[in-house]
Amino acid sequence: MEREIEQLTRLPAVEGAFLCDNRGDVIVSSDPAVLATVTMNTIGREIGRAFVALQAAGFPANRIDLTYDSWRLLAQDLGDALLFVIAQPAVDMAMVRLTADVVVAAWQKDPAARKRLQKHRSERAQLVNRTALDPGSWLSWNVIAQRGS
């Protein structure tokens, strides 16, 4: 898995990449890590919640691409994990998405990678519960969940 993460980080304008399980815990990251582990965990949880919310609202997605003033974040859903790529704003995102697809396909074919992912398997829906969210977020979640029903 480290080799494929390195493949992503060799792309022009890519600053780093990491893989989180469905709880938001980092499984593997580029070396050196582009962000602190606690920051990567927070991103993993929040983007995981976004994928759950999109699904619940009837708008399932397998990628989220966020653009900020000074960086860009691609999140790709693997089902049992989330792949993140952090890049400069001017990155060729089509090349990043293509390479991410190649990386994911390699992991799906690799028994060792599948076993490693299975070891970290958890349900992403557990990210959305009353104890995990502040009161305002919990109210928003209930609106989203009702809309999708």
Side-chain angles (χ1 to χ4, degrees):
M1 296 181 106
E2 287 79 358
R3 185 175 59 247
E4 289 83 7
I5 291 287
E6 184 181 325
Q7 181 180 352
L8 284 162
T9 61
R10 284 194 306 255
L11 292 171
V14 169
E15 301 291 329
F18 59 99
L19 181 72
C20 286
D21 65 16
N22 282 334
R23 289 182 306 267
D25 297 329
V26 175
I27 297 171
V28 63
S29 72
S30 53
D31 188 26
V34 68
L35 298 168
T37 302
V38 68
T39 303
M40 291 186 285
N41 289 342
T42 300
I43 290 170
R45 280 191 307 274
E46 295 306 321
I47 296 296
R49 286 182 181 123
F51 278 113
V52 171
L54 286 166
Q55 178 74 32
F59 300 104
N62 63 359
R63 283 193 182 116
I64 295 175
D65 182 358
L66 301 170
T67 304
Y68 300 92
D69 289 339
S70 60
W71 58 295
R72 206 153 167 190
L73 174 71
L74 175 72
Q76 185 159 333
D77 186 4
L78 283 69
D80 287 336
L82 294 168
L83 173 64
F84 296 93
V85 180
I86 298 172
Q88 297 168 9
V91 70
D92 180 353
M93 195 51 83
M95 184 58 73
V96 172
R97 286 189 305 268
L98 175 66
T99 306
D101 287 342
V102 169
V103 163
V104 169
W107 286 338
Q108 289 171 341
K109 291 179 184 175
D110 179 6
R114 286 196 320 263
K115 184 176 182 179
R116 191 168 175 186
L117 285 172
Q118 188 62 34
K119 188 171 90 172
H120 294 275
R121 185 164 176 9
S122 64
E123 292 300 320
R124 194 173 301 151
Q126 72 184 1
L127 291 171
V128 183
N129 62 60
R130 187 180 286 274
T131 59
L133 300 174
D134 62 73
S137 297
W138 180 247
L139 289 172
S140 297
W141 166 250
N142 285 313
V143 170
I144 291 168
Q146 288 173 4
R147 183 188 188 286
S149 298

